[in-house]
Amino acid sequence: KGTSIANFMRKYNVKKNLLVDENFCQIEDYDFSLLLDDSSSMNDKKNSFFTKWESNKNIITILFEFINILNQGSVDLWFLNRDSILQNSDIENLNKSLSLIPFGRTSLDNKLKNIFNSYRNSSKKKYIIIISDGLSTNINGKNKLSNLKKVLKERDSNKFNIVFVLSDCNEKIKKIKLKNLFYIDPFHNL
């Protein structure tokens, strides 16, 4: 695993001090999953050249590679509006999924309930990294921030760590403050 991490660090020019601290040793005790927002809002242009979906592909690919190293060969990929790909180790499966056009709503609360339920009997702690642009919405497109907050509050926060990687997001989601819930703006923090 050490060689793989060193290769990853060289490939992406990651500084050693980012990964060599007391927290890095602890993350090897977790399984990691990616929850990807593939809702129709991801088709919106982030800048004049790329959609939000296109802008997030690099971040998703880098995270996939890193998590593959940590999980020793597999990553659970969850999508809001299409079938999940569990225990995936093949970058081609990821690329195929990322080539599909995003559609549908941002029902983060419902998908998180499914994810928590599917891992309920797992003995290993989880990091669920959510790459999204916004708030959870219902079938009518109405904001469901209160539902998302309820689902996050009711989760086993000792077992499930949640990291929101937010790009071009509504700031309201960052107002949810709970144990083991983190927010990253990839264009400022990574």
Side-chain angles (χ1 to χ4, degrees):
K1 191 188 288 193
T3 303
S4 297
I5 290 174
N7 290 340
F8 174 87
M9 290 171 66
R10 270 192 301 281
K11 180 177 180 179
Y12 293 107
N13 198 25
V14 177
K15 295 177 183 162
K16 263 189 180 175
N17 63 346
L18 286 178
L19 297 181
V20 182
D21 69 11
E22 70 252 13
N23 295 323
F24 183 69
C25 296
Q26 294 172 357
I27 65 172
E28 290 185 329
D29 297 334
Y30 290 81
D31 276 338
F32 287 74
S33 296
L34 290 174
L35 172 54
L36 307 178
D37 180 349
D38 59 348
S39 65
S40 56
S41 66
M42 297 302 282
N43 291 314
D44 296 344
K45 296 276 185 181
K46 178 159 180 56
N47 55 41
S48 59
F49 301 108
F50 301 105
T51 65
K52 294 175 195 176
W53 185 248
E54 292 165 334
S55 296
N56 284 337
K57 283 181 183 180
N58 268 350
I59 295 166
I60 294 166
T61 302
I62 292 168
L63 284 170
F64 178 84
E65 286 183 41
F66 188 63
I67 293 168
N68 241 335
I69 294 167
L70 294 177
N71 282 1
Q72 297 182 337
S74 72
V75 179
D76 288 346
L77 298 171
W78 298 84
F79 297 90
L80 294 179
N81 297 298
R82 60 184 88 165
D83 292 336
S84 300
I85 305 171
L86 303 181
Q87 297 181 343
N88 182 45
S89 61
D90 186 0
I91 194 81
E92 290 307 314
N93 283 338
L94 174 69
N95 290 335
K96 194 182 306 179
S97 294
L98 296 179
S99 70
L100 300 173
I101 296 172
F103 67 93
R105 299 282 178 216
T106 311
S107 56
L108 288 169
D109 55 337
N110 290 333
K111 186 56 80 168
L112 281 170
K113 277 190 228 178
N114 291 343
I115 292 170
F116 297 151
N117 190 42
S118 72
Y119 293 139
R120 74 181 174 279
N121 294 324
S122 173
S123 60
K124 204 156 186 192
K125 293 180 180 181
K126 305 289 180 192
Y127 262 100
I128 300 170
I129 301 171
I130 303 168
I131 300 175
S132 180
D133 70 340
L135 299 172
S136 197
T137 55
N138 65 18
I139 197 159
N140 301 320
K142 295 202 175 210
N143 177 301
K144 294 190 335 185
L145 183 62
S146 59
N147 291 2
L148 177 60
K149 185 174 182 176
K150 181 179 182 215
V151 168
L152 291 169
K153 193 173 189 176
E154 291 174 351
R155 83 189 192 289
D156 179 351
S157 61
N158 292 315
K159 181 175 187 169
F160 294 106
N161 293 272
I162 307 295
V163 179
F164 278 95
V165 179
L166 300 165
S167 59
D168 194 39
C169 78
N170 186 318
E171 292 295 315
K172 289 181 184 177
I173 198 167
K174 292 181 181 179
K175 292 182 181 179
I176 301 174
K177 305 287 186 200
L178 298 168
K179 180 181 175 185
N180 292 327
L181 177 62
F182 310 97
Y183 301 97
I184 297 172
D185 180 340
F187 301 104
H188 294 102
N189 296 88
L190 293 180

